[in-house]
Amino acid sequence: QVQLVESGGGLVQAGGSLRLSCAASGRTFSRYAMAWFRQAPGKERRFVAAIGWSGGLTHYADSVKGRFTISRDDAGISVYLQMNSLQPEDTADYYCAAGNYGYDSNYYYHWGQGTQVTVSS
């Protein structure tokens, strides 16, 4: 069974940092693009960042550009999201996804269960 499992969420003060991890089990995702999306309470799921299968191509939402960094390991097992200078508006459930490169959630067909990030002011 294919699974993506996120970890690393938690409670942090504004200005702090967190590093989210997403580990694949059941198969590797070395030939898939990977991405992070987030969903705040009462809002739609939104794109955060994506990385191509080789790791050489990345794309970020304007709201996180310069603060967040997406990366992946060479084995195609894990993808990471380093989040710096966190703000209360970054509070959301963060989801890892695997599929085709892009910022549209419809491009991705494997999803994790999410990890919660709360940023206090």
Side-chain angles (χ1 to χ4, degrees):
Q1 185 178 357
V2 175
Q3 277 191 314
L4 294 173
V5 180
E6 302 94 337
S7 62
L11 174 64
V12 64
Q13 289 188 329
S17 299
L18 283 174
R19 187 183 192 228
L20 304 184
S21 299
C22 173
S25 64
R27 65 174 297 169
T28 64
F29 289 86
S30 60
R31 291 295 181 177
Y32 287 80
M34 303 291 291
W36 289 93
F37 289 78
R38 67 185 181 186
Q39 187 167 17
K43 296 189 176 181
E44 293 182 350
R45 189 171 298 187
R46 290 179 178 263
F47 170 78
V48 175
I51 187 166
W53 67 269
S54 70
L57 194 62
T58 59
H59 185 69
Y60 296 91
D62 288 343
S63 59
V64 306
K65 204 171 293 183
R67 300 188 298 125
F68 291 10
T69 302
I70 189 171
S71 61
R72 64 188 302 165
D73 67 349
D74 292 337
I77 296 175
S78 297
V79 64
Y80 308 98
L81 186 68
Q82 178 66 43
M83 305 187 296
N84 298 327
S85 302
L86 283 161
Q87 300 301 317
E89 53 266 34
D90 296 315
T91 295
D93 291 327
Y94 283 71
Y95 297 88
C96 171
N100 295 311
Y101 187 81
Y103 57 85
D104 190 326
S105 61
N106 291 321
Y107 294 169
Y108 298 90
Y109 30 86
H110 295 288
W111 291 84
Q113 294 300 306
T115 185
Q116 189 173 56
V117 172
T118 303
V119 185
S120 63
S121 57

